[in-house]
Structure formats: C-alpha cells, structure tokens
C-alpha cells in the first residue's frame, strides 16, 4: 500500500476508510485476493448447508416409506439443495478462483473494476442470506430449481391470484428474488472479468499465451454476460406472477407456460457450462504440471472451450423434448446436443494426451484432476443418451437424470474445484496442506461419490421418479437407495476432512516456497502469499507456460526463481514505478445491503421497505460515483483519476 | 501494455472520419432521426388509412433499424471507436436476434 | 480529448476499461430487453377479452418519443462541450438531457394512469397488459437511472470531480453511451409496441 494510509481522504462525499487492517479492512477491501478468499469461504458455507440438505434427502429415501421428512419439508429441501448448490456454492466457488487467480495468471495487479468486484461478492452473500431468511416468511421455495411456472399456484404456499388480486406466494418470491440477486452478482463479475482479460494482460501476454484457466474465465464470463439477463427476465416475470398477479405464465389470462421453460433453459444450458468450464480450466493447469509435460493440444483445448460456450446456447430445448415441441424441433435440438459432445470429447482426449508418457506425480491436485476426467466422462456419456429423443422420453424425470448431472456437476465441477483448491492452497496461504489427509479425502470422496450416484442410474432405469418424497416397498428400489445414502454420508465425511485440512493447514501447515509444484504459469513467480500489489515488477511474457520457459529454456541449469520478482527485476528500471492500488470503499457493501432489504419489502408487500432498500442503493451508488477508485496521492495530485 | 497487433487497428481508425464529429454533424444526424421518425408515424397512419400491412410493416422495420444504426454509429461513436467494442455489442445483438427469434418461432407455431 | 488521451490508461486494446465494460454491459442488456420484447410480441393478441393495443395514443406517444430522441442530441452536445473543455456548455446540455428524460417519464406515467383509469387496462388484466406494462416499466426504470446519473454528473462538475481540464470526460462518455442505449431501446419499443401491432391485430 502507499504512504497515505493514515491521511484523511476527502475527495469523496464522505470520509473514506483508509486502513486495510482488521475486520473493517476485510469489509471494505477492493483487493481481488481478499475478495477471492471471502468468496471461497462464503461459498463453502453454502456448500455445506446444501450438503446437509442433501443428507436429509438421502436419509428420507434410505428406506421405503420413511418418515424423516414430510412431503412439504422434503420439497423445500430438494429445492434448496439445488438452488444453493448451483447459485450459491459452485458458481461462487468458481468466482473465488476467477477472483484470486485471473489477475495473477495474466500478470495484472488487480481486476479492471475493483469496487465492482467487491460489489459482486457482497451481492452474492446478501442474496444467499436473503434466500435462507425464507424460513421466517413461511418456508423455503419448494418447487425445485427449475420451478416450472405456473407451479406457484399449487402446493403448500400457493399464489391465489384471481383477476381482482389475492395472495402472493412468498416461497416463490424468495426463489425469484434470491436468484435474481445472485444473477446481478454474476453479471457484474462477467463485465469485470471480460474487461480484465481483454484489457489488462501483461506485456507479451497474447491471447494464445494465456493460461487455459484464464481462457475459460473469459468464456464463462461471456456465458454469464449473455445468459444471466435471460434468467433475469424470467425471474422478473415470475415475481410479477407470484407477487403482483401478473399473467406471464397463467394460461387462464393468455399466458404461456412453455415460455418459462424456454427462457429458463435458454439460460439453464449455458449455466451448466458456466458450472463446468472453470473446472476444465483448472485441470488444464494441473495435469501438465504434474505430468511434467506441456498441455497436449493447447489450441484445441482453448478452441473447444470456446466452441462449447458458443454451442451451449443452441441446445436448450433438449430439456423440453417431452413438452411437445414437435418432431422437427426435437430432431434439430437432439442433433445440436450430440454435436456439443464433440468439443467436450476433444478436451478429454487432449487431457489424456497430456498424461500420456508424462512423468506423473500423484499429489492430491493430480488425483482430483484424474478423478474429474474419469467421472466427467461417465456423466458426459450418460448425457449423450439424453440427446436421443426417444431415450430421453424414457429417462425424463427419473433418477437417471439425477445420476447424470451429479456425475457432471459433482464428478466434474466439484472434483475440479477441489483439485484447484489443493493446487493453489500453497500460493494463497503460503503453507502446504496435509498430503495424507488430502489423499484420504480423495479416496473417500471418490468411493462415496460412486456409491451415491452410480446406483441412481439403475434406479432411474427401473423407473424411480425424481422429486418424490418417498416410495413404496417391493419396487426393487430398496437396496440401491440404501447404498446411495451410505455413499452420500461418505461424501460428507470426505468434505469434513477437506475442511479440517484447509483450516488446520492454513494456520499450522509447513511453510510453502513460491513455486512448490515446479509449475508452469506466472502466478508461481511471485511470493506465497503474493504481496498486495501482486508483482514488484509486472512480468514480461515471452512464451506460453512462461515460468516453465524461464526455468528450463532460458538457462541450461534450472534455477529457483527469486520470490516476488523475476529476471525483469535485475534489469534495473524496477523501483521507480509508482504502484497505484485501488483504495478500500464502503459503498459496495452498502449498495449490496439495499438489495435484500428491497426484496424483503416485496415479500412483506411493504412499499416503505422496498423504497428504503432502493434509497439505500441509490445513496450508495451516488456516493460511489463521487469517490475515485484510487485517491490522488501527494506526489501526483495533478493526475486526473478515473471516475 | 499495448499489444503490437493493435497498431494496425489504430491506423484503421484514423481513416475516413475525424473523431469527434463536429457539433454540426450531431445536429444533422438528429435532424435525419427526426425525419425518419416522422416517416414512421406517417406509415402508421397510412396503414390506418388502408395501406397494405405488407408495405407498412417492412417499412417500419427498416426505418427502425436505420435509426438504431445511426444512433449507435454516430451518437455512440461506434463508427470511430475500437473494433473490439463493436464486436462486444454485435455478439449481443446476434445472440438476442437468433435465440429469441427461434423461441418466438417455436412458441407461435 | 487531448488531456484525456494524455492520461488514458494503457490497456491492451487501447480503450479505457470503463468504456469496454460499458459496451459489454450494453451487449448483455440487449438480451434483457430482447426477452421482454419477444414475450410481448407473443402476447399481443392475448388480451383475455380486455382492451388491446387499440388504447395506445399514438400522437401523444410520438411527442414523448421525439423528446427522448432529441435528448440523445443534447447528450452528445454535452459530451462535445466536455471535450472542448467548455464546462458551461457541458452543464447546460447535461441538464437539458436530464430534463427531457424527466418529461418523457412524466408523459409515460400520465399515459399509464389514463390506460388504467379510462380504458381499464390494469397490470393483471391479461397476458398482453402484464407484458406491456412490465416491458415499458423496465425501460422507464432505465431512463430514471439515467436521469439520476446525469444529475450526479452535473453535481460533480461543481465539486471538482469533473473539470474543464478533461477530468471526468470518461464518465460523461460512459453515461452518454448508457443514455443513447436507452434511447435505441425506445426506438425499437416505439415501433414494435406502438406502431406495428395494431396492423397485425386488425
Ligand atoms: Cu442442457
């Protein structure tokens, strides 16, 4: 930071926080690394909440006609499990990696819009808190994460609107508004990371030298940029239907329920790539490092990622084959869905090519990455079976679908994100995690995962439907349901080991060098953990796998690279550069608080509360606009600062 | 931090038109927009008076696109700006047009 | 512009982060409004025996459309004033833009009250009415946010955050982009909602 820390800053409308210490420092931070860590912690809390919900579901289903949960609570739990996992656990976990790593991977000092970045974090957290506050307003949403409107008119908490007005469905409003809030956070992140990747790469960091994870961040950001507004519209419409008697999806007044499905899946299918591509990016960094080989077919991996992102917008109706689209549309979308398996397959073959004849080191990140390749392939193959329309009609709404997307999202995304957590843990905390505990985590999780979701393929093909809170005995489903429940608890044990490992190692683990894995990309060039300004001198990039190049190509004998610097440092011009870092700010946090306040106002049907929330947001917005990103410093007051 | 390959884009920029346009040019564009709007309203009333919808509707759509393009190119300076900005906007335009076109087609048939 | 380029941040694409972020956001907004417009188009004929598009007052809406169109001219003139280092021109035209935005909003709200009170077209009347009100209201919210940003810019020119030496040109340009975008969305809505459907329905 700079010397002005203790000075009073008065260029904004109000006095600005100036210290980065203590809890206030975390609340007002604009440092992408701190924001990334907070993203991770918050997302893990939601991940565990959603995991507990899943365990309750599995307990209820372990035996036929069990009485652990009644049908109403069961519906709330599976809805909350889905919504939380997707919008408040896996997406923000990916965002944690984007935040922490993207600037380091492309050689930048921060993201393009540091305060917008803080806003994303706080909006996501406030959205999650808002969602879980539903328990005080008549219960959690209970109509599954896809929420086929006008389902708000039935169930335990129906929206009983007639043309003259009536009662609103609070549960549906919590569904609509909390995902809306999470969507705002994602949209802000998307704008931020697109601008950062396009505009803030280090000198020499051309697009084709960018690490694959940076590429996947860019692709995912574009997916979010174009998919979030679609679900945003659908959720607004749902809010008007559930809260204000609108007719968007009410057939009685001319509404069209199928439009909800179109808008939802127009977003929903890109969403699955939003969830999986970050994990693909992570393993594309880990596999080369632990195989001690460059990534096989870098260009193919990058372009197949882009192609997946692009094609992902053209397959949404494969979720709607049974809704009566007609044979032409069904055939067309079946075909595009099979096409999308091609770039995905390209990636898998390139990963295998990377491992092939490598000198492999089976450390925990590598184990999880290999786990992803294997498990995702199973999920991908069962996905292809969905593309076959008649097959799809048979599997529709059965446990086969549940098995498929858990292999993709847990076997894919979560394995990848855990791999990345172990891989970059030494960089983030400057300490090593416990290898044996990590290995135990991996094997328990792998076994538990396959026990939990493998049998669900069989259950689905035997006709067990999704979303039913119980089943009668004698259907032949008893054994596999019990096995699945046991697997679920093994996963919980594995995740517990994971959390213990992280918490313990962050405080007590052995100290890590700046480059513990003999890695390839430039984030390992700087110290562990990196200084607030990331680099004393921004590295100049001359090759793909820049660090590897520096270590093994520039010189005949590999030498350790000094922490926090590089060969650039020795060239002299270094310390003359004056580093401007964004200053802390209260306004992202204040603005984010306004969103749930206004949303509670909608639920309570209270215009003063809505107005209060909006006023808070406007106030914070204006104060934000009147405060420069970086305060002018005494030695360069003349320099204009960007608004 | 400028990439080398951006240098040629820079040359493209300097080509035909000077940025920023003069205020006189802005007034001219505004006048054209006003005239186009007047024609649109005229077409609407012509339709009311019995002109075939097969004439008025395509006419209205073309005029709207013209107005859209004029504002984007001149008032939003896209004509003078970096191609990357163009692309960001056009990708959105294509996505919106194609995706919603298909949805409307499926729903209405 | 001279002072601006002198201090423009060095970026890979040689364009300020703010401007690139704004264009990305506008690209996203196209999908937002596109969905509302598509839903409206599907629902135009679905009036559930309530009033349909025939209640629209074309002459009245034409006038407010014209005012919003001309506010875009005022906006570029404000930016031109800023680029010439003429703070007075900037203030005048910024204020003019915001005022025209307010007049547009007032006209729209007045029209809404007429629809509800005279024609009995409420939010809950039919799929047509819901989609009409929600589409145009979201546009209005965008106009209102724009007016607020213009007011903030005007205010900032007195506190020294926007100065004749070119500081703040970037902010003015980006607010301008947003304002023009809101205008082009209205250009589309005016045609699609007000001018075309009556032909389709009759
Ligand atoms: Cu899909």
């Amino acid at each position: 930071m700079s010397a002005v820390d203790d000075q009073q800053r008065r260029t904004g409308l109000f006095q600005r926080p100036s210290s980065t210490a203590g809890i206030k420092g975390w609340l007002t931070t604009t440092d992408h690394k701190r924001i990334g860590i907070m993203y991770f912690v918050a997302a893990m809390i939601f991940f565990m909440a959603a995991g507990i919900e899943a365990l309750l579901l599995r307990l209820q289903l372990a035996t036929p006609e069990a009485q652990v949960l009644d049908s109403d609570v069961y519906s709330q739990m599976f809805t909350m499990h889905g919504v939380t996992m997707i919008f408040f656990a896996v997406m923000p976990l990916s965002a944690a990696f984007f935040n922490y790593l993207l600037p380091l991977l492309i050689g930048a000092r921060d993201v393009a819009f540091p305060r917008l970045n803080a806003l994303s974090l706080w909006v996501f957290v406030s959205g999650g808190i808002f969602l879980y506050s539903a328990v005080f307003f008549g219960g959690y949403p209970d109509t599954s994460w896809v929420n086929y409107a006008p389902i708000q008119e039935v169930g335990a908490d129906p929206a009983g609107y007639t043309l003259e007005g009536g009662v609103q469905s609070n549960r549906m409003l919590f569904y609509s508004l909390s995902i809306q809030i999470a969507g705002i956070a994602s949209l802000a992140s998307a704008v931020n990371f697109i601008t950062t990747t396009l505009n803030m790469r280090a000198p020499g960091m051309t697009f084709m030298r960018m690490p694959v994870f940076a590429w996947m961040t860019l692709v995912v950001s574009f997916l979010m940029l174009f998919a979030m507004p679609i679900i945003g519209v659908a959720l607004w419409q749902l809010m008007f239907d559930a809260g204000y008697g609108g007719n968007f999806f009410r057939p009685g007044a001319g509404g069209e329920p199928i439009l909800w499905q179109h808008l939802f899946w127009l977003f929903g299918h890109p969403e699955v790539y939003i969830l999986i591509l970050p994990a693909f990016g992570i393993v594309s960094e880990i596999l080369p490092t632990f195989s001690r080989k460059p990534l096989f077919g870098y260009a193919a991996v990058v372009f197949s990622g882009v192609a997946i992102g692009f094609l992902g917008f053209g397959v949404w109706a494969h979720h709607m084959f049974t809704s009566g689209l007609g044979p032409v549309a069904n055939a067309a979308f079946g075909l595009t869905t099979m096409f999308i398996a091609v770039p995905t397959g390209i990636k898998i073959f390139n990963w295998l090519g990377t491992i092939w004849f490598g000198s492999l080191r089976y450390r925990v990140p590598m184990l999880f990455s290999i786990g992803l390749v294997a498990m995702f392939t199973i999920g991908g193959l069962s996905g292809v079976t969905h593309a076959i329309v008649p097959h799809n009609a048979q599997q529709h709404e059965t446990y086969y679908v549940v098995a498929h997307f858990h292999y993709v999202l847990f076997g894919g995304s979560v394995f990848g994100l855990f791999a990345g957590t172990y891989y970059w843990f030494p960089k983030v905390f400057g300490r090593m995690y416990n290898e044996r505990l990590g290995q135990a985590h991996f094997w328990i999780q792998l076994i538990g995962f396959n026990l939990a979701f493998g049998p669900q393929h069989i259950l689905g093909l035997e006709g067990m439907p999704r979303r039913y809170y119980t089943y009668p005995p004698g259907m032949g489903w008893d054994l596999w349901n019990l096995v699945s429940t046991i697997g679920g608890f093994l996963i919980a044990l594995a995740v517990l080991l994971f959390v213990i490992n992280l918490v313990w190692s962050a405080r007590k683990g052995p100290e890590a060098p700046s480059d513990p894995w003999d890695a390839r990309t430039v984030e390992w060039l700087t110290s562990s953990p990196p200084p607030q300004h990331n680099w004393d001198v921004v590295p100049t990039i001359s090759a793909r796998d820049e660090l590897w190049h520096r270590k093994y190509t520039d010189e005949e004998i590999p030498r350790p690279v000094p922490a926090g610097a590089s060969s650039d440092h020795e060239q002299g011009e270094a310390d003359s550069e004056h580093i401007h870092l964004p200053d802390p700010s209260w306004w992202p946090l204040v603005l984010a608080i306004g969103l749930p306040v206004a949303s509670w106002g909608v639920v309570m049907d209270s215009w003063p509360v809505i107005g209060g929330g909006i006023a808070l947001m406007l106030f914070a917005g204006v104060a934000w606009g009147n405060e420069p990103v970086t305060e002018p410093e005494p030695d360069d007051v003349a320099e204009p600062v960007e608004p | 931090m400028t990439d080398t390959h951006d240098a040629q884009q820079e040359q493209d920029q300097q080509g035909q038109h000077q940025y920023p346009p003069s205020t006189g040019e802005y007034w001219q564009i505004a006048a054209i927009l006003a005239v186009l709007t007047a024609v649109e309203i005229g077409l609407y009333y012509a339709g009311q008076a019995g002109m075939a919808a097969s004439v008025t509707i395509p006419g209205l759509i073309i005029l709207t696109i013209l107005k859209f393009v004029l504002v984007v190119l001149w008032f939003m300076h896209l004509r003078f700006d970096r191609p990357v900005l163009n692309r960001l906007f056009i990708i959105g335009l294509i996505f919106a047009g194609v995706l919603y076109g298909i949805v409307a087609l499926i729903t209405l048939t | 512009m001279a002072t601006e380029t002198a201090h423009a941040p060095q970026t890979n694409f040689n364009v300020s982060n703010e401007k690139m972020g704004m264009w990305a956001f506008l690209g996203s907004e196209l999908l937002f409004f596109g969905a509302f417009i598509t839903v409206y188009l599907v629902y135009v004929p679905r009036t559930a025996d309530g009033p349909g598009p025939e209640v629209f007052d074309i002459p009245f809406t034409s006038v407010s459309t014209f005012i919003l169109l001309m506010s875009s001219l005022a906006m570029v003139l404000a930016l031109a004033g800023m680029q010439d280092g003429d703070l007075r021109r900037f203030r005048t035209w910024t204020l003019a833009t915001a005022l025209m935005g307010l007049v547009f909003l007032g006209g729209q709200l007045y029209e809404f009250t007429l629809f509800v009170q005279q024609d009995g077209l409420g939010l809950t009347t039919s799929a047509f009415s819901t989609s009409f009100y929600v589409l145009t209201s979201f546009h209005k919210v965008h106009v209102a946010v724009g007016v607020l940003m213009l007011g903030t810019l005007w205010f900032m020119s007195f506190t020294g955050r926007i100065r004749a030496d070119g500081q703040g040109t970037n902010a003015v340009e980006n607010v301008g982009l947003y304002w023009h975008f809101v205008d082009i969305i209205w250009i589309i809505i005016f045609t699609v909602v007000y001018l075309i459907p009556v032909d389709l329905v009759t």
Side-chain angles (χ1 to χ4, degrees):
Chain A
M1 216 32 210
S2 52
V4 278
D5 266 0
D6 301 315
Q7 282 186 339
Q8 294 211 335
R9 298 157 184 278
R10 293 194 179 280
T11 34
L13 289 181
F14 302 91
Q15 199 179 321
R16 190 166 190 172
S18 55
S19 165
T20 53
I23 190 135
K24 194 170 134 193
W26 283 87
L27 290 178
T28 60
T29 190
T30 49
D31 176 3
H32 71 98
K33 295 182 289 300
R34 285 185 162 202
I35 291 172
I37 292 171
M38 285 191 282
Y39 248 114
F40 185 87
V41 171
M44 275 308 286
I45 291 171
F46 286 119
F47 180 85
M48 287 189 283
I52 290 168
E53 285 149 17
L55 291 181
L56 290 174
L57 302 180
R58 280 320 315 170
L59 272 182
Q60 164 67 15
L61 292 177
T63 49
E65 287 175 355
Q67 294 298 325
V68 181
L69 310 173
D70 64 26
S71 71
D72 181 31
V73 178
Y74 183 87
S75 300
Q76 294 180 41
M77 286 299 111
F78 79 69
T79 304
M80 288 298 281
H81 169 71
V83 172
T84 310
M85 275 298 183
I86 288 166
F87 295 100
F88 297 98
V90 177
M91 273 177 87
L93 272 179
S94 307
F97 283 88
F98 298 160
N99 265 293
Y100 200 96
L101 291 170
L102 181 66
L104 287 167
L105 283 169
I106 63 171
R109 289 223 152 88
D110 208 316
V111 291
F113 309 110
R115 287 179 299 174
L116 193 66
N117 206 19
L119 180 71
S120 293
L121 166 73
W122 296 120
V123 167
F124 141 64
V125 172
S126 65
I129 291 171
F130 173 75
L131 174 63
Y132 275 83
S133 74
V135 73
F136 304 114
F137 294 86
Y140 295 119
D142 55 0
T143 44
S144 110
W145 88 284
V146 300
N147 189 69
Y148 277 5
I151 198 170
Q152 72 271 11
E153 307 198 358
V154 296
D157 177 40
Y161 270 102
T162 59
L163 287 186
E164 305 309 315
V167 292
Q168 62 189 14
S169 166
N170 278 353
R171 293 183 182 181
M172 201 62 62
L173 287 175
F174 273 100
Y175 170 89
S176 156
L177 290 165
S178 66
I179 300 179
Q180 189 74 265
I181 294 173
I184 292 169
S186 303
L187 193 59
S189 298
V191 169
N192 209 340
F193 295 136
I194 287 173
T195 311
T196 306
T197 322
L198 292 183
N199 244 356
M200 298 183 71
R201 284 163 286 131
M205 180 64 88
T206 59
F207 282 117
M208 290 317 280
R209 284 179 189 159
M210 274 199 323
V212 177
F213 184 72
W215 259 109
M216 290 306 115
T217 306
L218 184 64
V219 173
V220 168
S221 301
F222 269 105
L223 288 174
M224 293 199 289
L225 188 74
F226 295 130
M228 295 327 286
I230 306 176
I231 187 73
V233 169
L235 291 168
W236 279 120
Q237 296 176 335
L238 183 70
M239 185 192 91
F240 280 102
D241 274 17
Y244 299 97
N247 297 309
F248 281 111
F249 309 114
R250 279 164 207 273
E256 182 76 80
I258 204 79
L259 264 182
W260 166 270
Q261 293 191 29
H262 275 300
L263 292 177
F264 185 86
W265 290 116
L266 258 177
F267 148 82
H269 196 87
E271 171 73 10
V272 305
Y273 295 112
I274 293 171
L275 296 169
I276 190 67
L277 285 179
F280 283 2
I282 289 171
V283 296
S284 301
E285 301 300 331
I286 293 175
L287 290 175
T289 300
F290 290 91
S291 307
R292 301 182 60 80
K293 274 177 67 189
L295 182 68
F296 184 85
Y298 168 90
V301 174
V302 166
F303 284 119
S304 61
V306 177
I308 288 174
F310 197 74
L311 288 173
F313 275 98
V315 297
W316 77 91
H318 63 211
H319 299 270
M320 302 161 62
F321 282 152
T322 54
S323 71
L325 297 175
V328 177
N330 279 357
F333 280 100
L335 210 60
T336 54
T337 304
M338 287 191 217
F339 275 140
I340 208 164
V342 174
T344 316
I346 290 176
K347 274 183 182 280
I348 289 177
F349 280 112
N350 279 297
W351 291 328
L352 296 180
T354 306
I355 302 172
W356 193 257
F357 281 107
S359 61
L360 306 186
R361 290 175 295 166
Y362 293 106
R363 305 297 296 271
V364 183
M366 182 65 165
L367 291 175
F368 272 98
S369 301
I370 297 173
L372 176 144
V373 177
M375 295 301 111
F376 181 84
T377 305
I378 298 175
L381 289 175
S382 62
V384 177
T385 68
H386 296 319
I388 304 157
V389 180
H391 212 289
N392 183 293
Q394 191 66 25
Q395 298 152 358
H396 193 70
E397 291 290 322
T398 69
Y399 265 85
Y400 188 85
V401 177
V402 178
H404 156 70
F405 67 68
H406 280 93
Y407 266 84
V408 174
L409 291 182
F410 197 96
S413 303
V414 174
F415 271 67
L417 291 166
F418 284 2
T421 308
Y422 282 111
Y423 181 59
W424 280 294
F425 185 86
K427 178 53 63 186
V428 175
F429 291 103
R431 291 178 185 279
M432 296 303 290
Y433 61 85
N434 185 301
E435 183 72 23
R436 291 178 70 178
L437 208 54
Q439 303 249 359
H441 167 203
F442 170 74
W443 289 110
I444 296 174
Q445 180 169 319
L446 185 74
I447 294 165
F449 165 72
N450 280 293
L451 283 180
F453 299 108
Q456 292 183 2
H457 289 110
I458 303 168
L459 286 171
L461 293 177
E462 285 175 348
M464 182 169 169
R466 294 167 76 173
R467 302 192 181 114
Y468 282 39
Y469 87 108
T470 191
Y471 53 96
M475 302 289 286
W477 300 338
D478 303 15
L479 171 69
W480 292 126
N481 270 307
L482 186 63
V483 171
S484 180
T485 300
I486 292 168
F489 277 87
L490 279 179
I491 296 176
L493 172 67
V495 172
L496 198 66
L497 293 182
F498 179 55
V499 173
I500 290 171
N501 197 347
L502 294 188
V503 173
W504 186 83
S505 305
R507 300 156 147 263
K508 299 270 166 65
E511 286 202 14
S514 65
D515 180 19
W517 307 123
D518 195 9
R520 321 181 70 85
T521 40
V522 285
E523 78 272 26
W524 303 101
L525 200 58
T526 186
S527 60
S528 301
Q532 202 195 348
H533 54 277
N534 289 357
W535 326 90
D536 292 340
V537 172
V538 169
T540 302
I541 310 298
S542 59
R544 195 181 293 160
D545 290 336
E546 170 72 15
L547 179 59
W548 187 266
H549 192 77
R550 288 190 192 195
K551 284 186 292 194
Y552 297 113
T553 322
D554 281 354
E555 315 189 13
E556 286 173 9
I557 307 159
R559 68 183 168 91
V561 180
S566 64
S567 49
D568 305 350
H569 212 135
E570 293 146 25
Q571 287 160 9
E573 40 164 352
D575 304 284
S576 60
E577 189 180 354
H578 196 96
I579 300 169
H580 283 261
L581 281 175
D583 281 292
S585 172
W586 280 110
W587 306 121
L589 179 60
V590 175
L591 209 164
I593 292 172
L595 278 166
V597 171
S599 304
W600 279 312
V602 173
V603 175
M604 295 186 282
D605 209 5
S606 154
W607 285 101
V609 179
I610 299 177
I614 292 174
L616 190 63
M617 285 187 271
L618 292 181
F619 167 71
V622 172
W624 178 323
N626 276 284
E627 172 190 84
V629 183
T630 309
E631 297 290 335
E633 303 198 6
D635 57 339
D636 55 17
V637 246
E639 181 181 333
V641 276
E642 294 157 281
Chain B
M1 273 195 251
T2 316
D3 269 2
T4 40
H5 64 257
D6 287 324
Q8 74 213 64
Q9 292 175 352
E10 189 145 16
Q11 287 175 349
D12 298 348
Q13 299 306 310
Q14 314 301 357
Q16 321 108 351
H17 279 277
Q18 202 58 40
Y19 178 85
S22 67
T23 49
E25 280 175 286
Y26 286 144
W27 282 95
Q28 284 169 19
I29 299 292
I32 297 171
L33 287 170
V35 170
L36 292 179
T37 309
V39 177
E40 278 187 333
I41 298 165
L43 268 178
Y44 167 80
Y45 281 110
Q48 297 291 74
M51 190 188 273
S54 57
V55 179
T56 55
I57 290 179
L60 283 169
I61 292 172
I62 291 168
L63 287 169
T64 305
I65 293 173
L66 257 171
K67 286 164 73 182
F68 185 98
V69 169
L70 276 177
V71 174
V72 172
L73 286 188
W74 289 88
F75 285 177
M76 296 168 92
H77 309 126
L78 211 49
R79 176 178 189 133
F80 313 96
D81 236 320
R82 304 270 145 202
V84 64
L85 303 178
N86 239 313
R87 278 172 214 145
L88 282 172
F89 195 63
I90 286 174
I91 296 173
L93 209 55
I94 292 172
F95 266 121
V98 173
L99 296 181
Y100 296 137
I102 297 173
V103 169
L105 198 76
I106 296 179
T107 324
L108 290 174
T109 52
Chain C
M1 195 61 195
T3 37
E4 177 74 359
T5 35
H7 295 283
Q10 282 298 299
T11 59
N12 298 105
F13 276 99
N14 217 0
V15 54
S16 79
N17 286 340
E18 286 76 11
K19 200 162 159 185
M20 186 179 272
M22 179 54 85
W23 275 106
F25 171 68
L26 296 182
S28 170
E29 286 270 89
L30 281 173
L31 277 104
F32 191 80
F33 279 104
F36 275 125
I37 291 172
T38 311
V39 171
Y40 174 81
L41 277 177
V42 173
Y43 287 168
V44 176
R46 306 194 179 180
T47 52
D49 299 327
E54 69 277 357
V55 299
F56 297 148
D57 182 350
I58 300 298
F60 185 90
T61 312
S62 300
V63 172
S64 44
T65 302
F66 184 75
I67 290 170
L68 192 65
L69 203 59
M70 288 306 115
S71 77
S72 263
L73 173 67
M75 186 69 237
V76 280
L77 293 177
L79 177 63
M82 191 67 207
Q83 285 166 339
D84 294 344
D86 187 342
L87 218 50
R88 253 194 56 200
R89 244 164 76 211
F90 162 75
R91 283 180 190 147
T92 314
W93 286 116
T94 304
L95 218 52
T97 315
L99 280 177
M100 284 192 250
L102 282 176
V103 170
F104 172 82
L105 282 178
Q108 283 275 300
L109 287 175
Y110 170 73
E111 215 185 0
F112 272 21
T113 50
L114 286 191
F115 290 157
V116 174
Q117 284 165 5
Q118 288 185 358
D119 305 305
L121 186 75
L123 177 74
T124 57
T125 305
S126 62
F128 160 73
S129 72
T130 310
S131 58
F132 167 76
Y133 280 119
V134 173
L135 165 63
T136 47
S137 299
F138 271 91
H139 181 262
K140 276 200 281 298
V141 168
H142 277 74
V143 175
V145 170
V147 169
L148 198 83
M149 292 200 291
L150 288 166
T152 310
L153 285 182
W154 184 75
F155 175 74
M156 277 157 70
S157 76
F158 293 100
T159 59
R161 293 267 292 123
I162 287 180
R163 291 199 300 259
D165 66 4
Q167 149 138 9
T169 310
N170 220 338
V172 177
E173 194 178 357
N174 284 312
V175 172
L177 287 177
Y178 174 86
W179 188 262
H180 298 308
F181 177 80
V182 172
D183 187 23
I184 57 176
I185 291 299
W186 186 256
I187 288 175
I188 297 172
I189 293 179
F190 180 59
T191 308
V192 169
V193 175
Y194 290 87
L195 298 185
I196 285 183
V198 181
D199 287 317
L200 274 182
V201 171
T202 50

